[in-house]
Amino acid sequence: MEVSAYLHSHAVFLLILIIVFGFLLGRIRLFNFSLETSGILFVAMAFGHFGFRLPGEFQTLGLILFIYAIGLQAGPSIFNISRKQGFQLNLIVLVLISSGAVLTLILAKLLDVNTALAVGLFTGALTSTPGLAAAQEATGSTLTSTGYGLAYSFGVIGVILFIKLMPVIFRSSIKEEDQKITQEEQKQKTPILRKEVVITNQALEGKTLADLHFFQTTGTVISRISQKGKIVIPGPDTELHVGDVVRIIGEEAQIKAVIPFLGKESKEPLPDVSRFESRKFILTNRDIVGKTISELNLRQRFNANITRVRRGGLEFTAEPGLKLQWGDRVRVVGEADQMEQIRQLFGDEMRKIEYGDVFAITMGILIGVLIGLVPFSIGRIFSFSLGLTGGVLFAGLFLSNRGKVGPVIWQVPVPIITFMRDLGLTFFLAVVGTKAGAEVVQVIQTSGPKLILMGALTTVLPMVLVSVWARKKYKLYLLDLMGIISGGMTSSPGLAAAASMTESQRPIILYATVYPFAMILMIIWAKIMALF
């Protein structure tokens, strides 16, 4: 009794206890299956069944941290998805949610279930709180919230179990598919090469790089020129002469194309001159984040050139119009005695990209919360707001993609993003689990099997059928499918289950890609269903 009383009166200790036991349960493996982080949910449900409760503030804080971290992580790359791929992803989500809505209406008719209750079951089965808010407003009935509560627990568990069982259902190995993805990405990465070329084209005599629009025309960069035995770093006004030996940097296909234009490949490499160096710097100077390479004007200021930029594991040629981002690794070729000044320009402080800016993180979250409160309307049909989750996700996506606004750097180091995500998720699962555990047994005993069956079918059938269809039609990898399904079902725990099964960021990126569309679609369908 003393232990029970202590846990009831000390919510923080209860939260920590549930998380620790949840992680221990999640690490148990049976037939190569484990709950991982989702073990927290099941431990929390057990505590909830015996009357233990956690304050809702923990859930709100956890959800904010988790969703904002997802936005930060996916933002820099999410808008790089092609239109074709974006259409495919949103089509899958459209079919997923629409099939769930239609199935709910059919089952409600067959089982004689009140419409307000059915709409609540639909939003609960797809674990959509914004959908519930829209449905509650549309129906004006407390039965909607009741239906949401009945289906929510099974919606959470159903998505987690389906995500975990995907490798078994599709008879495929995540590890093998992850390796295939890595190999495909490596093939798509074009290596950056350098070649020395002797200029023999008489038409280039006396022409400057600016006259030729050299980078725009060839896609390559000239990093050094040997003119009469003297090594110079070229700038826009540098003239080319027959007999010059130039070092060009670019992709293999581009270099092969430009060599005949300039002349012929040199058999003798450019001599190493001690006063020139090639060094890498990390961009940590806030003042130059967002500026283009040409705006830095290194040629005139330091007699140096940026030749390559490495960002997010990819290395590419330094295009004059390329905007620099926080944490970029840039390779600079220039005079040795200027390198210290160039280093100061870029910042080059590793510790700055290892520690996050608490002000920027909290300010970004605040912006997201405020965005979630802004109401939107489409004609006179319905109005909605993004809500806490949608607002915070949008803020994370937009701000991290933007990189910098004024003096504030919104991008956050990956280790800190990972910690935010995992910490927020554990809080969220612990509170949701205690709430679900308090009702699950009573619901089974008193509400009858038909509502439980209806909610379970609404959760499971669309997921299974759409997953089979999408994998067959679009040849999707499991990691992609996991992100799409968890995002389409607006299931943060489902994403957690996917993230725990791989080191790849693909499920997270695709989750964040489809989630906004899924959330809005849920709101629209909730409004439509309330009309029946």
Side-chain angles (χ1 to χ4, degrees):
M1 289 296 294
E2 292 181 1
V3 173
S4 177
Y6 183 84
L7 292 178
H8 278 291
S9 58
H10 292 79
V12 174
F13 183 77
L14 175 61
L15 173 67
I16 295 173
L17 189 66
I18 290 173
I19 292 173
V20 171
F21 284 171
F23 275 120
L24 292 176
L25 175 63
R27 292 180 180 180
I28 298 174
R29 302 189 71 85
L30 294 174
F31 305 105
N32 203 32
F33 175 84
S34 64
L35 293 172
E36 300 292 343
T37 309
S38 304
I40 296 172
L41 178 69
F42 293 92
V43 170
M45 290 178 66
F47 274 87
H49 173 65
F50 290 104
F52 292 98
R53 301 288 185 276
L54 286 172
E57 287 78 6
F58 287 143
Q59 178 181 344
T60 303
L61 176 62
L63 191 60
I64 287 174
L65 292 176
F66 178 67
I67 295 298
Y68 190 64
I70 289 173
L72 291 176
Q73 196 162 12
S77 57
I78 184 176
F79 298 110
N80 294 332
I81 293 178
S82 65
R83 289 185 178 181
K84 179 180 178 181
Q85 186 182 10
F87 174 79
Q88 290 178 355
L89 297 179
N90 288 328
L91 177 61
I92 294 170
V93 172
L94 175 64
V95 175
L96 176 66
I97 295 178
S98 299
S99 61
V102 173
L103 177 62
T104 301
L105 292 174
I106 293 174
L107 291 175
K109 188 71 174 178
L110 294 175
L111 300 176
D112 193 27
V113 175
N114 180 278
T115 298
L117 184 58
V119 178
L121 287 168
F122 168 68
T123 58
L126 274 70
T127 65
S128 175
T129 305
L132 171 64
Q136 187 70 60
E137 180 184 12
T139 63
S141 172
T142 57
L143 289 175
T144 301
S145 298
T146 302
Y148 178 86
L150 289 173
Y152 181 82
S153 299
F154 296 94
V156 172
I157 297 171
V159 177
I160 291 173
L161 291 178
F162 180 69
I163 293 291
K164 286 288 186 179
L165 291 172
M166 267 190 179
V168 178
I169 295 172
F170 291 104
R171 298 180 181 179
S172 184
S173 167
I174 288 181
K175 184 177 181 180
E176 292 179 0
E177 289 199 4
D178 200 3
Q179 291 174 348
K180 289 181 181 178
I181 293 171
T182 302
Q183 292 172 358
E184 288 182 1
E185 291 176 345
Q186 290 295 334
K187 290 179 181 178
Q188 293 174 0
K189 294 179 183 178
T190 305
I192 304 299
L193 304 178
R194 70 179 189 180
K195 293 285 185 180
E196 276 76 33
V197 180
V198 179
I199 295 180
T200 61
N201 185 353
Q202 296 290 339
L204 300 181
E205 178 64 34
K207 297 287 187 179
T208 67
L209 296 180
D211 292 336
L212 298 173
H213 301 287
F214 191 80
F215 178 83
Q216 292 83 349
T217 303
T218 68
T220 62
V221 172
I222 295 180
S223 64
R224 300 186 193 183
I225 302 178
S226 175
Q227 295 180 332
K228 298 179 180 180
K230 181 181 179 181
I231 303 297
V232 298
I233 303 250
D237 299 326
T238 300
E239 293 183 355
L240 300 179
H241 301 283
V242 174
D244 288 351
V245 180
V246 300
R247 174 175 290 172
I248 55 175
I249 297 175
E251 298 177 2
E252 183 177 6
Q254 295 170 330
I255 288 179
K256 286 182 178 180
V258 77
I259 287 177
F261 170 70
L262 295 173
K264 61 182 180 180
E265 187 173 348
S266 174
K267 296 180 180 179
E268 297 291 334
L270 287 179
D272 291 327
V273 182
S274 58
R275 70 186 185 91
F276 283 97
E277 286 187 6
S278 174
R279 289 179 54 180
K280 287 183 179 180
F281 302 102
I282 301 173
L283 199 164
T284 58
N285 181 357
R286 296 172 184 269
D287 295 333
I288 63 174
V289 171
K291 289 189 176 182
T292 64
I293 289 177
S294 62
E295 287 175 338
L296 295 183
N297 201 18
L298 293 189
R299 173 71 176 92
Q300 280 69 34
R301 295 170 66 183
F302 304 109
N303 193 31
N305 279 342
I306 298 176
T307 59
R308 280 170 279 182
V309 177
R310 187 172 184 82
R311 177 186 301 163
L314 297 176
E315 187 174 69
F316 39 86
T317 305
E319 179 182 350
L322 177 69
K323 287 187 177 181
L324 296 172
Q325 293 184 7
W326 177 265
D328 280 351
R329 271 77 166 173
V330 297
R331 179 172 289 280
V332 179
V333 176
E335 295 182 6
D337 57 3
Q338 296 291 324
M339 285 298 172
E340 178 57 28
Q341 294 185 55
I342 296 173
R343 187 192 69 79
Q344 293 177 8
L345 173 67
F346 285 102
D348 198 40
E349 297 182 67
M350 177 63 74
R351 64 180 182 83
K352 286 191 175 182
I353 64 171
E354 294 177 342
Y355 298 92
D357 186 340
V358 176
F359 169 76
I361 293 173
T362 53
M363 186 65 183
I365 291 174
L366 177 60
I367 291 172
V369 172
L370 294 177
I371 290 174
L373 297 176
V374 177
F376 298 92
S377 61
I378 300 179
R380 297 183 179 181
I381 301 176
F382 61 89
S383 62
F384 65 95
S385 62
L386 293 178
L388 181 66
T389 302
V392 171
L393 177 62
F394 178 82
L397 291 171
F398 177 78
L399 294 175
S400 62
N401 187 269
R402 179 83 175 180
K404 174 188 175 184
V405 176
V408 181
I409 302 294
W410 301 107
Q411 293 165 342
V412 177
V414 172
I416 295 178
I417 293 176
T418 303
F419 178 77
M420 287 173 56
R421 186 190 70 197
D422 292 347
L423 179 66
L425 182 63
T426 57
F427 282 21
F428 175 75
L429 291 177
V431 180
V432 169
T434 55
K435 290 180 178 178
E439 301 175 353
V440 64
V441 175
Q442 182 181 1
V443 167
I444 294 175
Q445 292 176 342
T446 62
S447 299
K450 71 176 183 180
L451 295 180
I452 298 173
L453 176 63
M454 183 174 170
L457 289 175
T458 304
T459 297
V460 174
L461 281 183
M463 283 195 304
V464 174
L465 296 177
V466 171
S467 295
V468 172
W469 165 73
R471 185 167 169 86
K472 182 177 181 180
K473 181 175 178 61
Y474 298 116
K475 311 299 182 185
L476 295 175
Y477 287 111
L478 286 183
L479 296 179
D480 296 341
L481 200 54
M482 288 175 177
I484 297 169
I485 292 299
S486 56
M489 298 292 288
T490 64
S491 174
S492 302
L495 175 61
S500 68
M501 298 168 70
T502 178
E503 295 294 327
S504 173
Q505 303 301 315
R506 292 176 74 96
I508 294 174
I509 292 174
L510 291 177
Y511 173 93
T513 302
V514 303
Y515 180 90
F517 179 69
M519 182 187 61
I520 295 174
L521 198 59
M522 281 293 302
I523 293 172
I524 294 173
W525 265 113
K527 294 284 188 178
I528 294 174
M529 293 172 69
L531 300 176
F532 285 84

